[in-house]
Structure formats: structure tokens, C-alpha cells
Amino acid sequence: MVSPEQIHALIIGINKYAKYNPLKGAVQDASDFKDYLLERQVPAGNIKLLVDGDATKSAIVEQIQLLKTNDAIERDTAAIIIFYAGHGASSPMPEDWPKWQSVQAGGRIEQLCPVDIGETVSDHVIEGIPDYDIRVWLDELSRAKGNNITVILDCCHSGGMNRDGHDVGADWVLRCIEDPPKLSLPPVPWTLGSYSAATRRLWDARH
């Protein structure tokens, strides 16, 4: 049994997208989940909440990476929760990307959508977070902290379990971006040494 003091959570909720249709309930879902953990005596210091403008791609990536190096998260003792509520997306896989099992039928890549997806920064467009990157980060996290990791994705295009929503009410908003930016940057490699120095510099600059 894991005690509340051993639970650590990264919670993300996004309603207000700069370039895409807003959502109505994602931030509330994230806040409610935080409250749920607090009610069960999880220390507030063990919970990181990113909502709307704070949930940029760089911030999300940084917080996932920090889970690996957080000394308060004891390997094989702590429980880690990652909760995401927001838009999901799916786009064609670039031809030069490696193939892996999670690729959707038809060669499409599933993505989480940070709040700044589609914005232009330093002459490049912020892309979604591909499922392959998340897979690699979770593998690295499990190696560093153990296997007690729970990922909750409340969005479309998450592991093939999406909300296509044929019979939806007039007030429903699908958590799906239909036309995300085209993926161009190579996915996170199992080892950055497998790419050229130029590609590694490009990857580091964009994350």
C-alpha cells in the first residue's frame, strides 16, 4: 500500500488554446483531480498543476523530466500520476520517422496538444507532443523511479481510444484538434547518440 506522502502527481488541464478552438471543462477536470488527491491527504507539495497559459510544450516536457530527477520520489516506493485533460490530435507520420507499435492504422501519430501548439516561436511552429516521445519518457521514468506510474489522458486520440462522437449533443466539444501542425522534428530517440550532431542540436533547441 502506497501512503499519501508517497504519491506524486503532474496534472495538466487546458481550455484556452491560442490557435485552436477552446474547451470548456478541461481545466475544471484538472482542478477537480487535484482536489481529489488533496482530499486523500496527498501533500500539496507533491502535486504540480499546469493549466492554460502555464501548460506550454516546454513546461510540460520540463515537468515530465523533473519527475525522473526528483529526489523526493523514491524508486519502487512512490506512486507517480500524470493527468492530462485537453485537446488530442492525430497527423500523418513523416516518412523518415522510425516505425513503432503504437502507430495508428494508416501511419498516423497521436499527440497531446500543449496550449501553445500552432504558435510560431523563433521561426518554427510549436508542434504537438507525439505518443512516441511520451512512450520514451515513461520508459526512462520507470527505469529511474520504478513501475508504479499511472497515466490518465482525457482527450481524443489517446492510445487509440478516441472520442469520434457520432451522437453528441449540441453543447458537446470534442477534445480533438483536426488540423495540428505537421510533424517535422524527429521523435525522441532511445539514445540521442543515434542521430547526427546537427539533429541533436535541433532537437535540444526545440524542446
Side-chain angles (χ1 to χ4, degrees):
M1 176 70 70
V2 177
S3 69
E5 293 78 14
Q6 296 169 325
I7 297 174
H8 297 261
L10 170 59
I11 303 174
I12 303 159
I14 307 171
N15 283 342
K16 298 178 181 179
Y17 285 86
K19 296 291 185 178
Y20 294 93
N21 291 334
L23 294 172
K24 296 180 179 180
V27 169
Q28 187 64 55
D29 289 344
S31 297
D32 287 347
F33 188 67
K34 179 182 179 180
D35 290 343
Y36 169 82
L37 294 179
L38 291 173
E39 289 170 2
R40 280 146 186 81
Q41 308 305 312
V42 176
N46 289 11
I47 303 171
K48 181 63 178 181
L49 178 66
L50 297 176
V51 297
D52 282 342
D54 291 332
T56 62
K57 183 175 183 179
S58 61
I60 292 171
V61 173
E62 178 185 25
Q63 290 302 319
I64 293 175
Q65 299 299 327
L66 286 175
L67 291 171
K68 295 188 301 184
T69 59
N70 186 343
D71 292 335
I73 302 177
E74 298 182 18
R75 177 180 172 82
D76 297 325
T77 300
I80 298 171
I81 303 172
I82 299 173
F83 176 99
Y84 172 87
H87 276 311
S90 174
S91 60
M93 181 177 68
E95 293 183 359
D96 57 345
W97 278 31
K99 304 297 187 295
W100 62 93
Q101 291 182 347
S102 63
V103 174
Q104 286 182 313
R108 299 185 67 82
I109 304 298
E110 297 171 334
Q111 306 160 55
L112 300 185
C113 301
V115 69
D116 52 350
I117 186 172
E119 293 188 6
T120 300
V121 178
S122 300
D123 297 326
H124 79 272
V125 177
I126 301 296
E127 301 172 3
I129 303 174
D131 54 4
Y132 185 90
D133 288 9
I134 295 168
R135 171 185 170 185
V136 173
W137 292 330
L138 291 176
D139 180 76
E140 293 173 346
L141 182 58
S142 69
R143 292 172 187 269
K145 299 299 184 180
N147 294 321
N148 194 348
I149 304 170
T150 301
V151 180
I152 303 169
L153 302 177
D154 187 1
C155 61
C156 290
H157 302 295
S158 56
M161 300 176 62
N162 55 42
R163 300 180 182 178
D164 287 332
H166 297 293
D167 298 316
V168 300
D171 295 332
W172 287 36
V173 179
L174 295 180
R175 294 185 178 179
C176 171
I177 290 176
E178 297 290 353
D179 56 343
K182 180 180 178 181
L183 291 171
S184 58
L185 188 66
V188 176
W190 288 106
T191 169
L192 283 172
S194 64
Y195 288 139
S196 68
T199 299
R200 292 200 302 272
R201 287 194 297 271
L202 176 62
W203 195 92
D204 288 339
R206 291 200 184 180
H207 286 77

